[in-house]
Amino acid sequence: MSITMNTSHPAITQTDTAQGIKTAGLAKSQAEIEAQMALKLIQSANVTVQPAGASTEALGSIVNISV
């Protein structure tokens, strides 16, 4: 005679596994949608970087401090 405690019924375990798989699939889909939205936002920013001119090279090299 054997006594087992804290065991799950196989049907319950399969249901839990199926729900876990479905949840993981939904999370992956949501992450992909958010990544696409982030890429579109970055692309829509259309930021252009202008090279620094000669006038800004010495900027900040001389600092006058009065006490």
Side-chain angles (χ1 to χ4, degrees):
M1 180 176 159
S2 65
I3 298 174
T4 57
M5 299 179 66
N6 296 329
T7 59
S8 298
H9 191 273
I12 294 173
T13 303
Q14 290 175 353
T15 302
D16 289 344
T17 302
Q19 288 175 347
I21 291 171
K22 184 176 181 179
T23 302
L26 291 172
K28 181 180 177 184
S29 297
Q30 182 66 29
E32 289 173 351
I33 291 169
E34 289 178 3
Q36 290 173 357
M37 290 171 54
L39 285 174
K40 287 180 182 178
L41 179 62
I42 292 168
Q43 291 170 348
S44 70
N46 195 14
V47 177
T48 56
V49 177
Q50 298 178 358
S55 62
T56 60
E57 291 177 4
L59 186 63
S61 62
I62 300 173
V63 180
N64 295 326
I65 300 176
S66 300
V67 180

